[in-house]
Amino acid sequence: MSIVVIAEQRQGKLNRATWETVAAAQQLAGAGTPIAIVVAGSGVGAVASELAAAQVKEIVTTEHAALEPYTPDGFTAALQQAIEQLAPAMVLLPHTYQTRDFAPKLAARVDRALITDVTAVKVDGGQTVFVRPMFQGKLSADVVPQGPPPHFVTFQIGAFRADQAARGASPAAVRALSVTIDASQLRQKPEAPFQEAKQAVDLSQAERIVAVGRGIKGQEHLPVAQKLAEALGAELAASRPICDSGWLPMERQIGSSGQTVAPKLYVALGISGAIQHVVGMKGSRTIVAVNKDADAPIFEVADYGIAGDLFEIVPAIVAELNK
Amino acid sequence: MKISVCIKQVPTREWQPRLNDTKTWIREQDASYEMNEPDAYALEEALRLKEKHGGEVVVCSAGPARVAQVIREALARGADRAIHVEDDGLASADAFVVAAALADAMRDERFDLVLTGLQSDDQGFAQTGVVVAERLGLPHATIIMDVQVNGSALRVKRELEGGWFQWVAMPLPAVLTIQSGINQLRYATLKGIMAAKKKEIRKAAPPATAAAARQKIVRLYVPEKGKKTHMIAGSPAEAAKELVKRLREDARVI
């Protein structure tokens, strides 16, 4: 039985996370299991050609005018038909916001297992086991799908590396698979995507970042972090709850719903390290974490950690820097 | 407008995980619990919609008897009544099983709008709301940051990645999963807490033929560290001195 990868594209532009999913598929397939990459949309020829570079059996396009723009109703209808025709053992997707919007509907429609946000794959006693975070990253779970195939699996962004997806000696075959969609049955009517405000700060260009989380306790304590940022020549940023509370503007948010950064130095103050934050900063060259909970998940990605009260430690660091 | 809010009871953020004997689930009896945070934002949004358009807010939760704690809290914040699908197994069940229990309990109520958080802070499937929509045959949208209702028309602001958004229109009834930060939460007043005691909590039995579990946890554990973290001990002044030295001499980032 084969493995299907569902590619993600928007307006004819491929989402790079698709390559990460291809890498995951190649690891799972081993030798002998064919991989097909399915591209759904309208005007996806360029995306299909780009993906044909991958070492896979084939690229399958399901083109339909009703698939542009994306709607969960349209994608569920199209992909259900594609999966029924291809009859794979597994269907793999990147764990993006778009996947989260339609994959549970698709899996429920065909009543098959869906394992989300997977970070690694293991084989344990001949059984394929998927590793996923639980309880905000405090625990990991080894999970196995139940019930008949296909099993749907979504991979956390960054869990596999795009540059590790093997390229083929010659381009893979591209074939079109026709699907029927009744456009009048699509209930969601999307408008054009937009950005809220011109990004005043581009944190992705910052060399150093000091980020605060719930541990800062209140807006009135922000100067503690601000002073460290000044001493380091760093930009001030935050995890989502701080921006939700309005203590810092949304444009300073790091994480899956905010900016993705990879500065030379990232200092996380009072940030527990929930995965939604970590995906936005784990590429940083050097990570420092200060947190009162020595078991906080942020220490798993940190190079240097101090377990303690940030209100005592941060002023001490500022004093040391200013010596 | 008749609005349902699906809420889940999850361990508090301060909870330190302990595992059961088979290392396949947590020791539930050791945990302290609270309302799943994204669900709290969904509840707040429902209360604001009711204030604007009138109607009723019904909270719906699936889980063991202890779930009554977060149901009472939701009623104290202003929900009108509640449905509790009570079953011990629902605490650790997968999203398909929980969604089936919630959808069955809600079906005959014919809600105009069903809200829930975008994911839970325990198992974090990010599936339940969407599966509820599929089971009820309703349109849905996920990760919502604004909700506008005009008669039977719904227009919602969907969050995309990297600071992008998109407005999506759809007919009512519909299901939405709500993003944290969509509004500012209110807390229960003493008056609200007193009023909650008189509000109805309807107990619903779990579906007679439970939905089949679609995934199984074979092992639960504290994650292995992916990176060698240098933990710096000592007094604040000592730790600060050591850290700055490391950043200057080893990492060379300052």
Coordinates of all heavy atoms in Angstrom, one line a residue, chain A residues 107-177:
Chain A
A107 N -11.0 13.4 7.9 CA -10.8 12.1 8.6 C -12.1 11.7 9.2 O -12.5 10.5 9.2 CB -9.7 12.3 9.7
A108 N -12.9 12.6 9.7 CA -14.2 12.3 10.3 C -15.2 11.8 9.1 O -16.0 10.9 9.3 CB -14.8 13.4 11.0
R109 N -15.1 12.5 8.0 CA -15.9 12.1 6.8 C -15.7 10.7 6.5 O -16.7 9.9 6.2 CB -15.6 13.0 5.7 CG -16.3 12.8 4.4 CD -17.8 13.2 4.4 NE -18.1 14.5 4.7 CZ -18.0 15.6 3.9 NH1 -17.7 15.4 2.6 NH2 -18.3 16.8 4.3
V110 N -14.5 10.2 6.4 CA -14.2 8.8 6.0 C -14.0 7.9 7.2 O -13.7 6.7 7.1 CB -12.9 8.7 5.1 CG1 -13.2 9.5 3.8 CG2 -11.7 9.3 5.8
D111 N -14.2 8.5 8.5 CA -14.1 7.8 9.7 C -12.8 7.0 9.8 O -12.8 5.7 10.1 CB -15.3 6.8 9.9 CG -15.4 6.3 11.3 OD1 -14.8 6.9 12.2 OD2 -16.1 5.3 11.5
R112 N -11.7 7.7 9.7 CA -10.4 7.1 9.9 C -9.6 7.9 10.9 O -9.8 9.1 11.1 CB -9.7 7.0 8.5 CG -10.3 6.1 7.5 CD -10.2 4.6 8.0 NE -10.8 3.7 7.0 CZ -12.0 3.3 7.0 NH1 -12.9 3.7 7.9 NH2 -12.4 2.4 6.1
A113 N -8.6 7.2 11.5 CA -7.7 7.8 12.5 C -7.0 9.1 12.0 O -6.6 9.1 10.8 CB -6.7 6.9 13.0
L114 N -6.9 10.1 12.9 CA -6.1 11.3 12.6 C -5.2 11.6 13.8 O -5.7 11.9 14.9 CB -7.0 12.5 12.3 CG -6.4 13.9 12.3 CD1 -5.3 14.0 11.2 CD2 -7.4 15.0 12.1
I115 N -3.9 11.5 13.6 CA -3.0 11.8 14.7 C -2.3 13.1 14.3 O -1.6 13.2 13.2 CB -2.0 10.6 14.8 CG1 -2.8 9.4 15.2 CG2 -0.9 11.0 15.9 CD1 -1.9 8.1 15.4
T116 N -2.4 14.1 15.2 CA -2.0 15.4 14.8 C -0.7 15.8 15.6 O -0.4 15.3 16.6 CB -3.0 16.5 15.2 OG1 -3.5 16.2 16.5 CG2 -4.2 16.4 14.2
D117 N 0.1 16.8 15.0 CA 1.2 17.5 15.6 C 2.3 16.5 16.0 O 2.9 16.6 17.0 CB 0.7 18.2 16.9 CG 1.5 19.4 17.3 OD1 2.3 19.8 16.4 OD2 1.4 19.8 18.4
V118 N 2.6 15.6 15.1 CA 3.6 14.5 15.3 C 5.0 15.1 15.2 O 5.3 15.9 14.2 CB 3.4 13.3 14.4 CG1 4.5 12.4 14.4 CG2 2.1 12.6 14.8
T119 N 5.9 14.8 16.1 CA 7.3 15.3 16.1 C 8.3 14.2 15.7 O 9.4 14.6 15.3 CB 7.7 15.8 17.5 OG1 7.5 14.8 18.4 CG2 6.8 17.0 17.9
A120 N 7.9 12.9 15.8 CA 8.9 11.9 15.4 C 8.1 10.6 15.1 O 7.0 10.4 15.5 CB 9.9 11.7 16.5
V121 N 8.8 9.7 14.4 CA 8.2 8.4 14.1 C 9.2 7.3 14.5 O 10.4 7.4 14.3 CB 8.0 8.3 12.5 CG1 7.5 6.9 12.2 CG2 7.1 9.4 12.0
K122 N 8.7 6.3 15.2 CA 9.5 5.2 15.6 C 8.9 3.9 15.2 O 7.7 3.8 14.9 CB 9.6 5.1 17.1 CG 10.1 6.4 17.8 CD 10.4 6.2 19.2 CE 9.2 6.2 20.1 NZ 9.5 6.5 21.6
V123 N 9.7 2.8 15.1 CA 9.2 1.5 14.9 C 9.5 0.7 16.1 O 10.6 0.6 16.6 CB 9.7 0.8 13.6 CG1 9.2 -0.6 13.5 CG2 9.4 1.6 12.4
D124 N 8.4 0.2 16.7 CA 8.5 -0.5 18.0 C 7.8 -1.9 17.9 O 6.6 -2.0 17.8 CB 7.8 0.4 19.1 CG 8.1 -0.2 20.5 OD1 8.9 -1.1 20.7 OD2 7.4 0.4 21.5
G125 N 8.7 -2.9 17.9 CA 8.1 -4.3 17.7 C 7.3 -4.5 16.4 O 6.3 -5.0 16.4
G126 N 7.8 -3.9 15.3 CA 7.2 -4.0 14.1 C 6.0 -3.1 13.9 O 5.4 -3.0 12.8
Q127 N 5.7 -2.3 14.9 CA 4.6 -1.4 14.8 C 5.1 0.0 14.7 O 6.0 0.4 15.4 CB 3.8 -1.6 16.1 CG 2.6 -0.6 16.3 CD 1.8 -1.0 17.6 OE1 0.7 -1.4 17.6 NE2 2.5 -0.7 18.7
T128 N 4.4 0.8 13.8 CA 4.8 2.2 13.6 C 4.2 3.0 14.7 O 2.9 3.0 14.9 CB 4.4 2.7 12.2 OG1 5.0 1.9 11.2 CG2 4.9 4.2 12.0
V129 N 5.0 3.8 15.4 CA 4.5 4.6 16.6 C 4.8 6.0 16.3 O 5.9 6.4 15.8 CB 5.3 4.1 17.9 CG1 4.9 5.0 19.0 CG2 5.0 2.7 18.2
F130 N 3.8 6.9 16.6 CA 4.0 8.3 16.3 C 4.1 9.1 17.7 O 3.4 8.8 18.6 CB 2.7 8.9 15.6 CG 2.6 8.2 14.2 CD1 1.7 7.2 14.0 CD2 3.3 8.7 13.1 CE1 1.6 6.6 12.8 CE2 3.2 8.1 11.9 CZ 2.3 7.0 11.7
V131 N 5.1 10.0 17.7 CA 5.4 10.7 19.0 C 4.8 12.1 18.8 O 4.9 12.8 17.8 CB 6.9 10.9 19.2 CG1 7.2 11.6 20.5 CG2 7.6 9.5 19.1
R132 N 4.0 12.5 19.8 CA 3.4 13.8 19.8 C 3.4 14.4 21.2 O 3.4 13.7 22.2 CB 2.0 13.8 19.2 CG 1.0 12.9 20.0 CD -0.4 12.9 19.3 NE -1.0 14.2 19.1 CZ -1.7 14.9 20.0 NH1 -2.0 14.4 21.1 NH2 -2.2 16.1 19.7
P133 N 3.5 15.8 21.3 CA 3.5 16.4 22.6 C 2.1 16.4 23.2 O 1.1 16.4 22.5 CB 3.9 17.8 22.3 CG 3.6 18.1 20.9 CD 3.6 16.7 20.2
M134 N 2.0 16.4 24.5 CA 0.8 16.5 25.2 C 1.0 17.4 26.4 O 2.1 17.6 26.9 CB 0.2 15.2 25.7 CG -0.3 14.3 24.6 SD -1.4 13.0 25.3 CE -1.7 12.1 23.8
F135 N -0.1 17.9 27.0 CA 0.0 18.7 28.2 C 1.0 19.9 28.0 O 1.9 20.1 28.8 CB 0.3 17.9 29.5 CG -0.8 16.9 29.7 CD1 -0.6 15.6 29.3 CD2 -2.0 17.2 30.3 CE1 -1.6 14.6 29.5 CE2 -3.0 16.2 30.5 CZ -2.8 14.9 30.1
Q136 N 0.8 20.6 26.9 CA 1.6 21.8 26.7 C 3.1 21.5 26.6 O 4.0 22.3 27.0 CB 1.4 22.9 27.8 CG 0.0 23.3 27.9 CD -0.3 24.4 26.9 OE1 0.2 25.5 27.0 NE2 -1.1 24.1 25.9
G137 N 3.5 20.3 26.2 CA 4.9 19.9 26.0 C 5.5 19.3 27.3 O 6.6 18.9 27.3
K138 N 4.7 19.3 28.4 CA 5.2 18.7 29.6 C 5.5 17.2 29.5 O 6.3 16.6 30.1 CB 4.3 18.9 30.8 CG 4.2 20.3 31.3 CD 3.2 20.4 32.4 CE 3.1 21.9 32.9 NZ 1.9 22.1 33.8
L139 N 4.7 16.5 28.6 CA 4.8 15.1 28.4 C 4.8 14.8 26.9 O 4.3 15.6 26.1 CB 3.6 14.4 29.0 CG 3.5 14.4 30.5 CD1 2.2 13.8 31.0 CD2 4.7 13.7 31.2
S140 N 5.4 13.7 26.5 CA 5.3 13.2 25.2 C 4.5 11.9 25.2 O 4.6 11.2 26.2 CB 6.7 12.9 24.6 OG 7.4 14.1 24.3
A141 N 3.8 11.6 24.1 CA 3.1 10.4 24.0 C 3.5 9.6 22.8 O 3.7 10.2 21.7 CB 1.6 10.7 24.0
D142 N 3.6 8.3 22.9 CA 3.8 7.4 21.8 C 2.4 6.9 21.5 O 1.7 6.3 22.3 CB 4.6 6.2 22.1 CG 6.1 6.6 22.3 OD1 6.5 7.7 22.0 OD2 6.9 5.7 22.7
V143 N 1.9 7.2 20.2 CA 0.5 6.9 19.9 C 0.5 6.0 18.7 O 1.3 6.1 17.7 CB -0.1 8.3 19.6 CG1 -1.6 8.1 19.1 CG2 -0.1 9.2 20.8
V144 N -0.5 5.1 18.7 CA -0.7 4.3 17.5 C -2.1 4.5 17.0 O -3.1 4.6 17.8 CB -0.5 2.7 17.7 CG1 1.0 2.5 18.0 CG2 -1.3 2.3 18.9
P145 N -2.3 4.6 15.7 CA -3.7 4.7 15.1 C -4.5 3.4 15.3 O -3.9 2.3 15.4 CB -3.4 5.0 13.7 CG -2.1 4.5 13.4 CD -1.3 4.5 14.6
Q146 N -5.8 3.6 15.5 CA -6.7 2.4 15.6 C -7.6 2.4 14.4 O -8.0 3.4 13.9 CB -7.5 2.6 16.9 CG -6.7 2.7 18.2 CD -6.0 1.4 18.6 OE1 -6.7 0.5 19.1 NE2 -4.7 1.3 18.4
G147 N -8.1 1.2 14.1 CA -9.1 1.1 13.0 C -8.4 0.9 11.7 O -7.1 1.0 11.6
P148 N -9.2 0.7 10.6 CA -8.6 0.4 9.3 C -7.9 1.6 8.7 O -8.2 2.8 9.0 CB -9.9 0.0 8.5 CG -11.0 0.6 9.2 CD -10.7 0.7 10.6
P149 N -7.0 1.4 7.7 CA -6.4 2.5 6.9 C -7.4 3.1 6.0 O -8.4 2.5 5.7 CB -5.3 1.7 6.2 CG -5.7 0.3 6.1 CD -6.6 0.0 7.2
P150 N -7.0 4.3 5.4 CA -5.8 5.0 5.7 C -5.8 5.7 7.0 O -6.8 6.1 7.5 CB -5.8 6.0 4.5 CG -7.2 6.3 4.2 CD -7.9 4.9 4.4
H151 N -4.6 5.9 7.6 CA -4.4 6.6 8.8 C -3.9 8.0 8.4 O -2.9 8.1 7.7 CB -3.5 5.9 9.8 CG -4.0 4.6 10.2 ND1 -3.2 3.5 10.3 CD2 -5.3 4.2 10.5 CE1 -4.0 2.4 10.7 NE2 -5.2 2.8 10.8
F152 N -4.5 9.1 8.9 CA -4.0 10.4 8.7 C -3.1 10.9 9.8 O -3.3 10.7 11.0 CB -5.2 11.4 8.7 CG -6.2 11.2 7.5 CD1 -7.1 10.1 7.5 CD2 -6.2 12.0 6.4 CE1 -7.9 9.8 6.5 CE2 -7.1 11.8 5.4 CZ -8.0 10.7 5.4
V153 N -2.0 11.5 9.4 CA -1.0 12.0 10.3 C -0.5 13.4 9.9 O -0.2 13.6 8.8 CB 0.3 11.0 10.4 CG1 1.3 11.5 11.4 CG2 -0.2 9.6 10.6
T154 N -0.5 14.3 10.9 CA 0.0 15.6 10.6 C 1.3 15.8 11.4 O 1.5 15.4 12.5 CB -0.9 16.8 10.9 OG1 -1.0 17.0 12.3 CG2 -2.4 16.5 10.4
F155 N 2.3 16.5 10.7 CA 3.7 16.6 11.3 C 3.9 18.1 11.7 O 3.6 19.0 10.9 CB 4.7 16.2 10.3 CG 4.7 14.7 10.1 CD1 4.0 14.1 9.1 CD2 5.4 13.9 11.0 CE1 3.9 12.7 9.0 CE2 5.4 12.5 10.9 CZ 4.7 11.9 9.8
Q156 N 4.4 18.2 12.9 CA 4.7 19.6 13.4 C 5.7 20.2 12.5 O 6.7 19.6 12.1 CB 5.2 19.4 14.8 CG 5.4 20.7 15.6 CD 5.9 20.4 17.0 OE1 7.0 20.6 17.3 NE2 5.0 20.0 17.9
I157 N 5.6 21.6 12.3 CA 6.5 22.3 11.5 C 7.9 22.2 12.1 O 8.1 22.4 13.3 CB 6.1 23.8 11.4 CG1 4.7 23.9 10.9 CG2 7.1 24.6 10.5 CD1 4.4 23.2 9.6
G158 N 8.9 21.8 11.3 CA 10.3 21.7 11.9 C 10.6 20.3 12.4 O 11.8 20.1 12.7
A159 N 9.7 19.4 12.5 CA 9.9 18.1 13.0 C 10.8 17.3 12.0 O 11.7 16.5 12.4 CB 8.6 17.3 13.3
F160 N 10.6 17.5 10.8 CA 11.5 17.0 9.7 C 12.1 18.1 8.9 O 11.5 19.2 8.9 CB 10.7 16.0 8.8 CG 10.4 14.7 9.5 CD1 9.3 14.6 10.3 CD2 11.2 13.6 9.2 CE1 9.0 13.4 11.0 CE2 10.9 12.4 9.9 CZ 9.8 12.3 10.7
R161 N 13.3 17.9 8.4 CA 13.9 19.0 7.7 C 13.6 18.9 6.2 O 13.8 17.9 5.5 CB 15.4 19.0 7.9 CG 15.7 19.5 9.3 CD 17.2 19.4 9.6 NE 18.0 20.0 8.6 CZ 19.3 20.0 8.6 NH1 20.0 19.5 9.7 NH2 20.0 20.4 7.6
A162 N 13.2 20.1 5.6 CA 12.9 20.1 4.2 C 14.1 19.7 3.3 O 13.9 19.0 2.3 CB 12.4 21.6 3.8
D163 N 15.3 20.1 3.7 CA 16.5 19.8 2.9 C 16.9 18.3 3.0 O 17.8 17.9 2.3 CB 17.6 20.7 3.2 CG 18.1 20.6 4.7 OD1 17.6 19.7 5.4 OD2 18.8 21.5 5.1
Q164 N 16.2 17.6 3.8 CA 16.5 16.1 3.9 C 15.5 15.3 3.0 O 15.7 14.1 2.9 CB 16.4 15.6 5.3 CG 17.7 16.0 6.1 CD 17.7 15.6 7.5 OE1 16.7 15.2 8.0 NE2 18.9 15.7 8.1
A165 N 14.6 16.0 2.4 CA 13.7 15.3 1.4 C 14.5 14.9 0.2 O 15.1 15.8 -0.5 CB 12.5 16.2 1.0
A166 N 14.6 13.6 -0.1 CA 15.5 13.1 -1.2 C 14.9 13.5 -2.5 O 13.7 13.5 -2.8 CB 15.6 11.6 -1.2
R167 N 15.8 14.0 -3.4 CA 15.4 14.4 -4.8 C 15.6 13.2 -5.7 O 16.6 12.5 -5.5 CB 16.2 15.6 -5.2 CG 15.5 17.0 -5.0 CD 15.2 17.2 -3.6 NE 14.8 18.6 -3.4 CZ 14.5 19.2 -2.2 NH1 14.5 18.4 -1.1 NH2 14.1 20.4 -2.1
G168 N 14.8 13.0 -6.7 CA 14.9 11.9 -7.6 C 16.0 12.2 -8.7 O 16.3 13.4 -9.0
A169 N 16.4 11.1 -9.4 CA 17.4 11.3 -10.5 C 16.7 12.0 -11.7 O 17.4 12.8 -12.4 CB 17.9 9.9 -10.9
S170 N 15.4 11.7 -11.9 CA 14.7 12.4 -12.9 C 13.3 12.8 -12.3 O 12.9 12.2 -11.3 CB 14.5 11.5 -14.1 OG 13.9 10.3 -13.7
P171 N 12.7 13.8 -12.9 CA 11.4 14.3 -12.4 C 10.3 13.2 -12.3 O 10.3 12.3 -13.2 CB 11.0 15.4 -13.3 CG 12.2 15.8 -14.1 CD 13.1 14.6 -14.1
A172 N 9.6 13.2 -11.2 CA 8.5 12.2 -11.1 C 7.4 12.5 -12.0 O 7.2 13.7 -12.5 CB 8.0 12.3 -9.6
A173 N 6.6 11.5 -12.4 CA 5.5 11.7 -13.3 C 4.4 12.6 -12.6 O 4.2 12.5 -11.4 CB 4.9 10.3 -13.6
V174 N 3.8 13.4 -13.4 CA 2.7 14.2 -13.0 C 1.4 13.8 -13.7 O 1.4 13.7 -14.9 CB 2.9 15.8 -13.2 CG1 1.7 16.6 -12.8 CG2 4.2 16.2 -12.6
R175 N 0.4 13.5 -12.9 CA -0.9 13.1 -13.6 C -2.1 13.8 -12.9 O -2.0 14.1 -11.7 CB -1.1 11.6 -13.6 CG -1.6 11.0 -12.3 CD -2.0 9.5 -12.5 NE -1.9 8.8 -11.3 CZ -3.0 8.3 -10.7 NH1 -4.2 8.3 -11.3 NH2 -2.9 7.6 -9.5
A176 N -3.1 14.1 -13.7 CA -4.2 14.8 -13.2 C -5.3 13.8 -12.9 O -5.5 12.8 -13.6 CB -4.8 15.7 -14.3
L177 N -6.0 14.0 -11.8 CA -7.1 13.2 -11.3 C -8.3 14.1 -11.2 O -8.3 15.1 -10.6 CB -6.7 12.6 -9.9 CG -7.5 11.5 -9.3 CD1 -6.6 10.6 -8.5 CD2 -8.6 12.1 -8.5

